[in-house]
């Protein structure tokens, strides 16, 4: 079984990356999303085990000490991490695994799997970001202010990514994400088994036994 592709999707809080990721899961086969653990409290409408595993700091620290995270980082005073076992199992089953994580996590994943594509999703403008962040009704005014400060820093880090996708319209952005992932899966360095098989068969055309 061919191993699936691991891809990192980041973006400013409020860029709509969660919406794009759920849309790609609905409209295309073979994708799964990793559910992260976090120590922040659930926001409005967020369900434990679906949007995040909401953990105490103690439980989170215990998982760190047991090496149960593929990567983990601190963001706006809380801890966030990707449980390792789910990701490994899904990749081994040939699924394409999306990690909705920040650049600190992206850097750690790249150290372990250097050919992981890093994809950044941005809203069309910062005005639009402010509008989306305030209208989604999930964060307090203080949390919004912190997230916008964080966005200013993240904007400086976009060049570390391989791809930048503008979320101007959900369906269009989802299709762009799918196209990027399919292109990554077709890279020659990922298709060594296929190439070896084709070469073997082609060689038999010249030297049939
Ligand atoms: P939020 O609290 O808005 O859901 O997420 C805050 C930030 O943490 C976002 O940039 C999100 O992508 C990032 N994040 C969520 N889960 C993880 C994770 O498991 N690891 C890392 N490094 N970042 C995460």
């Amino acid at each position: 079984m061919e191993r699936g592709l691991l891809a990192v999707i980041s973006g400013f809080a409020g860029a709509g990356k969660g919406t794009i990721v759920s849309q790609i899961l609905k409209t295309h086969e073979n994708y799964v999303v990793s559910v992260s653990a976090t120590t922040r409290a659930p926001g409005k409408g967020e369900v434990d085990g679906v949007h995040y595993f909401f953990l105490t700091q103690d439980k989170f620290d215990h998982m760190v000490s047991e090496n149960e995270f593929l990567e983990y980082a601190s963001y706006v005073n809380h801890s966030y991490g990707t449980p390792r076992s789910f990701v490994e199992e899904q990749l081994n089953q040939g699924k394409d695994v999306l990690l909705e994580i920040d650049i600190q996590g992206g850097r750690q994943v790249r150290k372990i799997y250097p050919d992981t594509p890093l994809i950044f999703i941005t809203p069309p403008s910062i005005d639009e970001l402010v509008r989306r962040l305030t209208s989604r009704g999930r964060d307090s005014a203080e949390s919004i202010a912190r997230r916008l400060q964080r966005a200013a820093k993240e904007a400086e880090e976009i060049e570390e990514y391989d791809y930048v996708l503008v979320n101007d319209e959900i369906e269009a952005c989802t299709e762009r994400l799918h196209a990027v992932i399919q292109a990554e899966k077709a890279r020659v360095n990922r298709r060594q088994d296929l190439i070896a098989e084709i070469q073997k068969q082609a060689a038999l055309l010249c030297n049939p036994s």
Side-chain angles (χ1 to χ4, degrees), residues 6-33:
L6 182 64
V8 168
I9 322 275
S10 305
F12 307 125
K17 54 189 185 303
T19 311
I20 300 296
V21 167
S22 35
Q23 183 71 10
I24 206 169
L25 294 179
K26 270 190 230 145
T27 53
H28 295 281
E29 285 182 358
N30 211 47
Y31 291 107
V32 291
V33 64

Side-chain angles (χ1 to χ4, degrees), residues 65-81:
S65 68
E66 296 289 312
N67 198 24
E68 286 179 33
F69 288 121
L70 178 65
E71 62 73 38
Y72 63 95
S74 161
Y75 177 99
V76 186
N77 299 339
H78 287 290
S79 302
Y80 292 80

